[in-house]
Amino acid sequence: MNKEQFLRKLDSSLQRLSSDERRDILHDFEEHFAIALTEGKSEEQISDSLGSPTQIGKELLANYHLEKVGTTASTGNIFRAVWAVVGLGFFNLVIVLGPFIALAAVVFAGWASSIAFIASPLLALVNIVIYPGSFELFDLFFSISLTGLGLFIAIGMFYATRTLTDGFVRYLNYNVKLVKGGLKHD
């Protein structure tokens, strides 16, 4: 594979990045080719030593999304980072996507429970409006106590979500380093 073919494949694998970032990356690889050519290597030798441009593009895309999660840990950025890391290899479908789905389910269940507990007095009032003869003070006080429990769960979920997000991003970074290390020895 010559330089043009290598850069074209790398460019096509980086289509999800902005044009400025793609241009910077391609410029870096053009410089790498230029330096290696002055050392007497052929374009084919250089492209062989760099590896697959598609795999390089996947790794760069994963690193880009992980850096973005590091600065802004929004739900969309986390999903994009998980998807980019899963794209690094078929094995990641199991070791990245499985834990991500489990953690997302735990976080969703915790937040849903806290919101349901906080909203329980409203549900008790709706019950009184629909069935006026079924009013009991126990239901009202029980729903108020559930509101307090829901507030404690919401506070706990705030910290748990933050901790789980940070831990999972660290796991994604570890996974990317593991994949890169594995590729160096191939």
Side-chain angles (χ1 to χ4, degrees), residues 10 13 17 37 47 58 60 70 80 113 126 132 150 160 168 174 181:
L10 182 61
S13 66
L17 295 180
L37 284 171
S47 64
K58 288 178 181 178
L60 290 171
R80 282 186 278 276
S113 299
V126 169
F168 195 72
Y174 168 76

Side-chain angles (χ1 to χ4, degrees), residues 50-62:
L50 288 173
S52 166
T54 306
Q55 189 64 30
I56 292 170
K58 288 178 181 178
E59 290 174 11
L60 290 171
L61 203 60

Side-chain angles (χ1 to χ4, degrees), residues 21 36 43 64 72-73 98-99 130 133 146 149-150 166 169 186:
E21 293 181 33
E43 290 183 353
Y64 170 76
T72 308
I130 294 174
L146 284 180
L149 183 61
D166 291 344
V169 169
D186 286 338

Side-chain angles (χ1 to χ4, degrees), residues 86-156:
V86 166
L88 289 177
F90 180 73
F91 190 62
N92 280 351
L93 190 65
V94 176
I95 64 171
V96 172
L97 198 57
F100 175 71
I101 290 172
L103 288 177
V106 167
V107 168
F108 178 77
W111 280 107
S113 299
S114 69
I115 291 170
F117 283 0
I118 291 171
S120 63
L122 296 174
L123 298 175
L125 290 175
V126 169
N127 187 35
I128 292 169
V129 170
I130 294 174
Y131 304 106
S134 68
F135 176 72
E136 290 187 29
L137 278 177
F138 174 77
D139 292 343
L140 183 64
F141 288 120
F142 187 70
S143 65
I144 290 172
S145 66
L146 284 180
T147 300
L149 183 61
L151 288 173
F152 281 121
I153 291 173
I155 293 169

